[in-house]
Amino acid sequence: MPTTSTGKSLTHQLNKHRRLLFKARMSKFDISNPETSSDTFRGFYTLFWLAMGFYVIQSVIRCYEQEGVFLSLGFFRLFSKDGLALLISDMTMVAATIFSVLFSKLLIWGVIPYEPVGVVLQHVCQTVFLFLNIYWTFWRDWPWVQSGFFTLHTIVMMMKMHSYTSLNGDLSIRYRRLKHLKEQVPKWIAEHKDDDKGSQELKSMEDEMVLLQEELVHGNTRFPDNVTLINYLDYLLVPSLVYALEYPRTDRIRPGYVLEKSAATLGSFLLLYVTTERYILPKLYDPHMSDIRVIVELLFPFMINYLLIFYIIFECILNAFAELSRFADRNFYDDWWNSITFDEFARKWNKPVHQFLLRFVYAQSMESYRLSKSKATVVTFMFSSCLHELVLVIVTRRVRMYLFLMQMFQLPLIMIGRLPWFRKHSTTGNVSFWLGMFFGLPLLAILYCREAFWSDAIFGIGDKAA
């Protein structure tokens, strides 16, 4: 038995899925965070929300003076259209991912070898899962809000499935290898009991068994005891795209905290609704306004919406799910607003997706295909750009590739941002970053939405005009 070569191969496999360090942390804008309560700029956080409150009051008054109602419901009618079908479709889509548990069981039982058959099946099934849901979105002919939400949620579930089956598939190889060694070692000892020359080979097998046993245990959880329906349902609630045998947990669920985040979600969504209804949609489909004027008009509304969407997702929704699942690591974002380059922004603003891309695209491309760091970075950016472009293709029903090209254009900008001069003048880099954010969002709206608004009903223009 070639134990030496097998041991080296296994060591490479053990390094293949390095454990992501999860630890108990709180998000930066959480008011229960002790660090936040003592922050020097905490007053500006309070000021922002007070300003947003007065902003809503001002908008409501203007709406009443102009239209005779406190709040227009055109946008509400748009995103509430076919709501029941969307809910049922979303629940069905999430339920379909439970097949991952059965797939993992088949890997553990040895019915399917993970490499290479299981890996191929895994990617085929996930691709079919993605495009079946995309087809369903087109078949239902949902407006842009429903299409965008369902597509994004489908991508999230695909990432969760991939992480779950990848880790369990990799551990199934080690598990079956450990079982084989446990059966082989006693036979080997019986066959070589009078042979002192084979002690090194025996030690190699025993060391490998110890290493395998360590890799199959994380905290109090041992593989394959984790592959259960209950564990998978818990993983669906955990706001992480990287599966682990065990996560850090809080002691209890705080109902008041969940209520606080739910109320913050509703309040922030009201701000989002007012901004979209009053200051974005009227400008986007106004054929009498030039593109440059539209960009100028949308600078602040789009930035406000961007900040609100960030807050709703990463501070409210993810924290609420973390509390319900007692997930203690709530480092969903870092100080992305201080970014100097766009790669720093990509690392900081969406930590769950960054962690997934880091492990399953960036590191995987280097380990499996022997790519250099620079080439792996290009591959990661390309993968991310394709997913972003896919969402906009489904939302607008058009293939334009503007966002893909703009994201890939960040690569040379990143190289420039890494120059010593930019590192030395960090304020200049931060100003460049924010200028890109301010002008990039309205420009994308011009490139994608104006054409769609003028020629299609998916944005609800026909209803509004009526």
Side-chain angles (χ1 to χ4, degrees):
M1 180 173 73
T3 54
T4 305
S5 61
T6 304
K8 289 181 180 178
S9 175
L10 186 73
T11 301
H12 171 70
Q13 290 175 2
L14 295 180
N15 292 329
K16 193 175 177 181
H17 282 273
R18 291 181 294 272
R19 286 176 181 167
L20 184 68
L21 180 61
F22 290 100
K23 59 183 180 180
R25 290 175 285 188
M26 303 183 75
S27 59
K28 287 180 169 48
F29 288 127
D30 194 333
I31 60 175
S32 61
N33 189 341
E35 296 179 6
T36 302
S37 61
S38 59
D39 187 87
T40 307
F41 295 98
R42 63 189 182 278
F44 283 102
Y45 181 77
T46 305
L47 175 63
F48 173 80
W49 288 113
L50 283 175
M52 289 296 98
F54 288 123
Y55 165 76
V56 169
I57 293 173
Q58 182 186 62
S59 299
V60 167
I61 292 174
R62 285 182 178 176
C63 184
Y64 184 77
E65 290 175 344
Q66 295 172 2
E67 301 181 21
V69 293
F70 288 109
L71 196 63
S72 301
L73 297 179
F75 186 43
F76 172 79
R77 287 191 291 270
L78 173 66
F79 70 73
S80 61
K81 181 181 178 181
D82 212 16
L84 181 60
L86 177 64
L87 176 62
I88 295 172
S89 300
D90 196 60
M91 292 175 64
T92 304
M93 181 268 294
V94 173
T97 67
I98 295 176
F99 175 75
S100 300
V101 180
L102 176 59
F103 182 77
S104 298
K105 287 286 189 183
L106 295 175
L107 296 176
I108 294 168
W109 296 334
V111 177
I112 303 173
Y114 184 60
E115 293 181 348
V117 179
V119 174
V120 173
L121 282 175
Q122 173 189 358
H123 286 85
V124 168
C125 291
Q126 288 164 7
T127 303
V128 170
F129 171 82
L130 174 64
F131 285 99
L132 276 179
N133 285 299
I134 290 174
Y135 172 79
W136 181 252
T137 303
F138 279 99
W139 189 80
R140 293 297 308 180
D141 196 27
W142 279 322
W144 65 276
V145 179
Q146 291 87 325
S147 298
F149 166 78
F150 190 71
T151 304
L152 286 170
H153 200 194
T154 297
I155 292 172
V156 167
M157 288 298 105
M158 183 184 67
M159 289 179 173
K160 273 187 167 282
M161 280 196 302
H162 182 82
S163 179
Y164 181 83
T165 52
S166 292
L167 180 60
N168 286 325
D170 189 61
L171 291 179
S172 70
I173 296 174
R174 308 175 197 186
Y175 176 69
R176 285 189 283 123
R177 173 66 179 165
L178 180 60
K179 286 180 65 176
H180 174 76
L181 287 174
K182 285 182 176 180
E183 296 172 356
Q184 188 67 26
V185 167
K187 295 179 182 178
W188 189 95
I189 293 174
E191 293 173 1
H192 299 80
K193 58 183 178 181
D194 298 327
D195 185 6
D196 296 332
K197 296 180 180 179
S199 59
Q200 186 61 37
E201 186 177 355
L202 176 61
K203 185 178 184 303
S204 176
M205 289 190 290
E206 289 175 341
D207 289 345
E208 187 179 343
M209 288 174 64
V210 171
L211 186 59
L212 284 166
Q213 288 172 340
E214 290 176 354
E215 287 294 319
L216 293 174
V217 177
H218 189 182
N220 298 319
T221 306
R222 180 181 178 84
F223 183 86
D225 298 339
N226 63 297
V227 185
T228 63
L229 180 60
I230 297 299
N231 177 270
Y232 183 75
L233 293 177
D234 173 76
Y235 168 57
L236 289 182
L237 280 178
V238 169
S240 173
L241 298 178
V242 177
Y243 177 69
L245 298 185
E246 192 169 288
Y247 297 104
R249 303 283 183 167
T250 57
D251 297 331
R252 60 187 179 86
I253 298 174
R254 297 169 292 175
Y257 185 89
V258 177
L259 183 62
E260 172 201 323
K261 293 302 178 184
S262 301
T265 301
L266 294 175
S268 302
F269 186 79
L270 175 62
L271 291 168
L272 187 72
Y273 182 92
V274 169
T275 304
T276 304
E277 176 71 34
R278 299 292 301 168
Y279 301 104
I280 292 181
L281 294 183
K283 304 293 190 301
L284 273 179
Y285 63 77
D286 186 353
H288 305 295
M289 192 175 291
S290 68
D291 289 346
I292 295 177
R293 176 65 186 278
V294 171
I295 290 177
V296 173
E297 292 287 338
L298 294 181
L299 285 177
F300 281 102
F302 260 99
M303 183 52 62
I304 289 173
N305 267 15
Y306 181 82
L307 295 176
L308 289 172
I309 290 172
F310 163 79
Y311 183 80
I312 289 172
I313 295 175
F314 295 101
E315 183 57 43
C316 298
I317 295 177
L318 293 189
N319 266 311
F321 274 96
E323 189 68 23
L324 291 171
S325 61
R326 298 192 299 111
F327 181 64
D329 191 349
R330 304 184 182 184
N331 182 227
F332 304 124
Y333 57 90
D334 284 326
D335 59 334
W336 58 267
W337 44 89
N338 294 323
S339 296
I340 299 173
T341 61
F342 280 98
D343 63 326
E344 182 183 359
F345 167 71
R347 290 194 307 269
K348 289 183 173 182
W349 92 277
N350 187 342
K351 295 295 287 291
V353 170
H354 168 70
Q355 290 162 355
F356 178 89
L357 294 175
L358 180 65
R359 169 171 289 190
F360 296 105
V361 182
Y362 180 78
Q364 193 78 31
S365 62
M366 288 195 295
E367 291 166 355
S368 299
Y369 303 103
R370 301 293 186 267
L371 297 182
S372 63
K373 287 186 177 181
S374 58
K375 290 181 179 178
T377 300
V378 172
V379 169
T380 305
F381 261 84
M382 186 172 293
F383 179 80
S384 175
S385 301
C386 287
L387 288 182
H388 282 83
E389 185 65 36
L390 176 64
V391 174
L392 285 177
V393 167
I394 294 168
V395 165
T396 64
R397 306 295 198 268
R398 286 164 177 78
V399 180
R400 293 294 181 265
M401 303 301 290
Y402 300 129
L403 179 57
F404 176 84
L405 294 174
M406 289 177 70
Q407 282 197 265
M408 295 305 294
F409 182 66
Q410 290 177 10
L411 289 172
L413 294 180
I414 289 170
M415 300 298 292
I416 295 173
R418 289 177 177 174
L419 295 175
W421 189 89
F422 272 92
R423 291 294 182 186
K424 185 178 179 180
H425 300 83
S426 57
T427 302
T428 303
N430 190 236
V431 168
S432 301
F433 160 73
W434 276 113
L435 285 175
M437 295 295 291
F438 258 110
F439 286 97
L441 295 172
L443 181 59
L444 284 173
I446 291 292
L447 293 173
Y448 281 97
C449 299
R450 294 261 283 181
E451 177 187 357
F453 270 126
W454 294 339
S455 60
D456 219 321
I458 63 169
F459 288 84
I461 303 307
D463 296 339
K464 186 141 184 132

